[in-house]
Amino acid sequence: MPVTTGTGGKRKGDFLTSFLVFLLISIFISGFALSIVSFFYYLSQKKQSERNLLALSQKIDTLSNRVSKLEELLKAGTGIERIITSANYLSNLSVDLERIIEELTDDPTTGYIRLFVIGQDNVWVTFRKGNEVYFSRELKPGLAPYKFYYFKEPSIQTQYSIKVPRDCSIVLGKPGVVYFLVYGVGTSKHPTKVVIWKDSRVENLERDFSLYIPK
């Protein structure tokens, strides 16, 4: 009896073959398209990177030129170097002159107090009355350059002449290391008394130091 192949089986085989061919072609086309897209994306990124590198190189060149110009300007003998040196000199000269003036000025018609810090450490000292602070600063060991006038204004005003109320209080950061040199009214060039305060606070300058203040 002869064997025959069914029409349905043949069609099914042809369909499967066609589907596989179509799938392979689709995969090939898709891969090719992705390759093209990736290639153009790579070119775009490459161009952007080149532009960024060029811009960065230009900025570096600009900064290098500015640094070179600053180095030229700051060389010894140039304009800016002379200006900086002159400014520092004038600033220091101003401070030194004020200290010299303050040291030379000694008006016996007004009384003042100077501070001498002993030991190795700095000491914070504050002159105040109520909420008003007249002086608050850390003083180095040795004779401080400030004069605290408790009777009347000094004849010459500098940054080292401080007017304080006669009944002000004084707060000491470290008790027992600050000597108060009292230059009384009517005296000149030498202190009338030397006071070493053992507490952290002088409550009333005039009363606690027994200051002579003319009426």
Side-chain angles (χ1 to χ4, degrees), residues 131-142:
N131 295 326
E132 185 73 21
V133 177
Y134 297 89
F135 178 87
S136 186
R137 192 165 298 179
E138 192 176 46
L139 301 180
K140 298 179 180 179

Side-chain angles (χ1 to χ4, degrees), residues 2 8 13 30 46 54 93 96 101 111 121 124 142 148 160 174 177 188 199 212:
S30 298
K46 182 180 179 182
L54 179 61
L93 178 63
D96 292 342
I101 291 172
D121 300 326
W124 197 276
F148 300 92
Y160 300 105
K174 293 182 181 179
V177 298
S188 177
D199 299 325
Y212 165 70

Side-chain angles (χ1 to χ4, degrees), residues 52-203:
N52 292 338
L53 289 174
L54 179 61
L56 181 60
S57 178
Q58 291 174 347
K59 289 182 179 180
I60 292 175
D61 291 340
T62 301
L63 290 175
S64 299
N65 291 334
R66 291 180 178 177
V67 171
S68 299
K69 290 180 180 179
L70 286 175
E71 289 177 347
E72 289 295 326
L73 289 173
L74 292 174
K75 284 182 179 178
T78 58
I80 288 184
E81 189 269 341
R82 287 196 298 269
I83 291 173
I84 293 175
T85 302
S86 300
N88 290 334
Y89 172 76
L90 290 174
S91 177
N92 295 332
L93 178 63
S94 174
V95 173
D96 292 342
L97 282 177
E98 287 198 356
R99 292 192 64 171
I100 292 172
I101 291 172
E102 192 61 46
E103 293 297 331
L104 293 176
T105 304
D106 191 51
D107 185 358
T109 65
T110 184
Y112 61 87
I113 292 176
R114 300 196 69 174
L115 305 181
F116 188 92
V117 178
I118 62 174
Q120 304 293 326
D121 300 326
N122 296 349
V123 179
W124 197 276
V125 179
T126 300
F127 285 73
R128 67 184 307 155
K129 181 179 180 180
N131 295 326
E132 185 73 21
V133 177
Y134 297 89
F135 178 87
S136 186
R137 192 165 298 179
E138 192 176 46
L139 301 180
K140 298 179 180 179
L143 182 64
Y146 307 98
K147 292 181 180 180
F148 300 92
Y149 293 84
Y150 59 84
F151 177 49
K152 65 178 184 178
E153 296 283 349
S155 57
I156 298 177
Q157 186 73 46
T158 71
Q159 63 174 306
Y160 300 105
S161 53
I162 315 295
K163 181 69 170 66
V164 297
R166 62 180 66 182
D167 57 347
C168 70
S169 63
I170 306 171
V171 180
L172 304 174
K174 293 182 181 179
V177 298
V178 178
Y179 281 86
F180 294 85
L181 311 181
V182 181
Y183 294 77
V185 180
T187 62
S188 177
K189 296 297 183 182
H190 60 84
T192 57
K193 66 173 69 176
V194 178
V195 179
I196 176 69
W197 203 251
K198 300 296 185 179
D199 299 325
S200 61
R201 184 181 180 90
V202 178
E203 296 295 339

